[in-house]
Amino acid sequence: MAEIGFYHLTRTSVDQALPALLGRTLEAGRRAVLRCGDAQRVKAMDEALWRATDPVWLPHGSAAMGHGPLQPIWLTAGDDVPNGATYLFLIDGVNCPDAAAFERVFDLFDGGDPEAVEAARRRWTSAREAGHTLVYWRQQAKGWTRGAR
């Protein structure tokens, strides 16, 4: 079973919060897959990661770029994991039927969008029923606070 962290964004967008989390993933020697809602979002996240300033460098790729096995971070709108990633990042309310295949799952959702919050609650319930270890993180003025859910 995976540890699934639900990241409640309250002060920044996914595009702004994700680089720091991905940077820590790479620092820990892990590979990541970022699952997006659609191909346009993959392209937008690719551009956002290239513009990231902290960390300055987030090596990544997608099917458009190729070389999946070599990419430390893989961006996709599908279920592909060509880089052997053990960390999975979910945005855009993407569901994860294969969470058990990963060591950690990061589910980032917009706390300012009532529909996104309600959808995250449904994903939480489903993951709990599947037996995963769940952790709730709420974005604060600086960093994240682990909360009880």
Side-chain angles (χ1 to χ4, degrees):
M1 289 294 135
E3 176 185 298
I4 302 177
F6 285 80
Y7 288 75
H8 189 157
L9 298 168
T10 58
R11 62 177 185 83
T12 65
S13 68
V14 167
D15 298 20
Q16 295 166 318
L18 200 53
L21 294 169
L22 288 169
R24 286 188 208 117
T25 296
L26 297 181
E27 286 173 8
R30 300 291 197 263
R31 288 176 167 242
V33 167
L34 171 60
R35 287 190 184 159
C36 305
D38 58 38
Q40 283 185 316
R41 185 67 159 148
V42 169
K43 187 175 188 316
M45 289 308 306
D46 170 47
E47 292 169 5
L49 294 181
W50 284 122
R51 288 190 312 268
T53 59
D54 188 19
V56 174
W57 174 246
L58 285 170
H60 64 279
S62 68
M65 297 166 217
H67 308 288
L70 301 176
Q71 303 293 348
I73 301 168
W74 183 251
L75 312 179
T76 184
D79 295 336
D80 51 319
V81 186
N83 64 347
T86 57
Y87 283 17
L88 172 64
F89 289 79
L90 305 170
I91 62 172
D92 306 328
V94 172
N95 286 311
C96 180
D98 61 340
F102 296 91
E103 182 181 331
R104 289 187 66 189
V105 177
F106 301 73
D107 187 320
L108 287 80
F109 64 96
D110 181 355
D113 178 348
E115 290 178 18
V117 172
E118 185 55 39
R121 286 181 180 135
R122 287 191 299 273
R123 291 191 304 276
W124 174 281
T125 300
S126 177
R128 183 182 61 218
E129 290 171 355
H132 296 288
T133 300
L134 305 180
V135 181
Y136 171 77
W137 295 94
R138 184 175 180 88
Q139 196 174 38
Q140 299 299 312
K142 289 190 177 189
W144 299 88
T145 299
R146 188 175 179 152
R149 280 281 163 192

